[in-house]
Amino acid sequence: MRIFLLFILLSSTAFAQKKQIITDKIQAKSAYELLNDIRLHPEKYRKVLGISNVELITKTKLVWNDQLAKVAESRAYDMANRNYFDHTNPDGFGPNYFIQRAGYQLNADWLKTKSANNFESIGANHPTAEDGIKALIIGKGSPGFMHRKHLLGMDTWNGSLQDIGIGFVQVPKGTAYKTYLCVIIAKHDW
């Protein structure tokens, strides 16, 4: 009987410690608006974000895409739920796989590797989604300026991307990070 009661106690404790993950669509939309403002008015952000070559920024407005937003939310949620931070999930699948699976048609060449990522930037532990966007552009905690190029369309490839979805989740406790941000900027084909 004691073993049975101990089992019930341990089970209820484990259940009580389940992570509470909050998907924040308002934060995601706010980050989207900020990113478009930066793209359309880069001079305004030159100093604060340390952008010395604003002339390379694609000054086109990104278009919100609900399919990409659902993928971005799902990716951020999965990272929080399974306590990892990577473009490839623990099962070996990358963003391109999930984008295609959601019904956003991609070029077949972009799907040859299950871990492929041509469209995603991620951030973690930023108080807000806007702070995450700024950190990715500044290059804080990211490899070089890859995220800056992606978010601001600063080369031919990234400048050709037009659709966007953002996911932002908050986790009060139980994971390595308190927030996870996923930004997907994509296009269907060349």
Side-chain angles (χ1 to χ4, degrees), residues 120-133:
E120 179 185 77
S121 288
I122 56 176
N125 230 22
H126 302 290
T128 68
E130 285 188 8
D131 289 332
I133 292 292

Side-chain angles (χ1 to χ4, degrees), residues 16-181:
Q17 292 180 5
K18 186 178 178 185
K19 292 178 223 161
Q20 181 186 1
I21 302 169
I22 302 159
T23 301
D24 194 330
K25 294 176 187 286
I26 294 170
Q27 285 279 338
K29 283 289 190 154
S30 179
Y32 162 69
E33 290 168 9
L34 172 66
L35 182 55
N36 268 329
D37 195 51
I38 295 168
R39 286 175 68 117
L40 296 174
H41 310 287
E43 286 293 334
K44 185 165 87 172
Y45 297 92
R46 176 191 287 267
K47 274 190 177 179
V48 71
L49 298 178
I51 307 169
S52 59
N53 46 358
V54 293
E55 68 280 353
L56 297 178
I57 296 173
T58 302
K59 292 184 180 181
T60 55
K61 185 175 181 178
L62 295 166
V63 178
W64 186 264
N65 181 284
D66 287 333
Q67 288 173 311
L68 296 180
K70 286 178 185 173
V71 173
E73 287 173 6
S74 176
R75 296 270 304 126
Y77 186 94
D78 187 56
M79 284 187 276
N81 190 46
R82 299 203 288 176
N83 200 21
Y84 73 94
F85 181 69
D86 201 319
H87 292 293
T88 304
N89 76 6
D91 304 317
F93 292 99
N96 292 14
Y97 169 82
F98 294 106
I99 292 168
Q100 176 76 16
R101 188 171 159 205
Y104 187 95
Q105 295 299 310
L106 297 177
N107 182 307
D109 287 341
W110 305 335
L111 301 166
K112 288 182 178 177
T113 306
K114 75 177 192 174
S115 63
N117 173 29
N118 297 88
F119 306 109
E120 179 185 77
S121 288
I122 56 176
N125 230 22
H126 302 290
T128 68
E130 285 188 8
D131 289 332
I133 292 292
K134 291 174 187 175
L136 289 169
I137 291 170
I138 291 169
K140 183 179 179 183
S142 65
F145 294 105
M146 289 174 42
H147 292 120
R148 177 184 289 191
K149 284 182 181 180
H150 177 234
L151 297 178
L152 300 181
M154 295 179 77
D155 57 25
T156 304
W157 167 260
N158 290 301
S160 72
L161 307 178
Q162 62 224 351
D163 297 328
I164 186 171
I166 298 176
F168 185 74
V169 300
Q170 301 170 359
V171 191
K173 61 182 177 178
T175 61
Y177 302 106
K178 299 290 183 212
T179 64
Y180 294 82
L181 171 70

